[in-house]
Amino acid sequence: MPTEVVESKERARMRTIFGWIAGGSLGLLLNYPLYLLFGEKYPKEPTTFVFFAAGAFLGLRVADKLGPRGFRPLGLAAGILLTGILVLLLLVLISNRS
C-alpha cells in the first residue's frame, strides 16, 4: 500500500520556483544558439522573452507533474542551468572585449 508524501507549503513553493528557474534558464540557453545561427537579423528581445516565458511555464508544469519527488531534481537542474547562463554571460562579455 503506497504512502502519500506530505509536503510543506514552503517546500512546494520552492519546488515551483525551481521549476520556473530551470525552465526559464533552459529557454534562454536554447535561444542563444538561434541568435548565433541567424545573426543580427534575429529578433533578440521578443524571442528571448518568449523562450524564457515558455520555458518557465514548462518548468512549472513539470514541477506540478513531478510533485514532491521533483524537489531535488528540479533544484539541481535550476542550479546547473543558472550556472550555464552565468558561464555564457561571462564568455560573451570576454569575447566582446577583444
Side-chain angles (χ1 to χ4, degrees):
M1 185 164 152
T3 59
E4 187 174 322
V5 176
V6 178
E7 185 178 35
S8 69
K9 287 183 181 180
E10 292 82 18
R11 193 172 169 103
R13 284 186 191 136
M14 284 301 295
R15 178 176 38 89
T16 302
I17 291 169
F18 286 157
W20 182 81
I21 292 171
S25 299
L26 183 62
L28 290 177
L29 288 174
L30 292 176
N31 188 43
Y32 190 70
L34 292 174
Y35 167 67
L36 292 177
L37 181 67
F38 290 108
E40 287 299 318
K41 62 183 175 181
Y42 187 70
K44 291 180 287 201
E45 291 80 11
T47 56
T48 300
F49 174 76
V50 168
F51 271 78
F52 180 82
F57 282 112
L58 181 64
L60 290 174
R61 185 175 176 117
V62 168
D64 288 341
K65 211 164 205 29
L66 289 176
R69 66 174 197 220
F71 183 79
R72 282 192 178 140
L74 287 171
L76 183 64
I80 290 171
L81 290 168
L82 271 178
T83 303
I85 286 177
L86 288 175
V87 168
L88 179 64
L89 175 68
L90 288 174
L91 290 174
V92 168
L93 290 175
I94 289 170
S95 70
N96 284 340
R97 294 172 100 192
S98 309

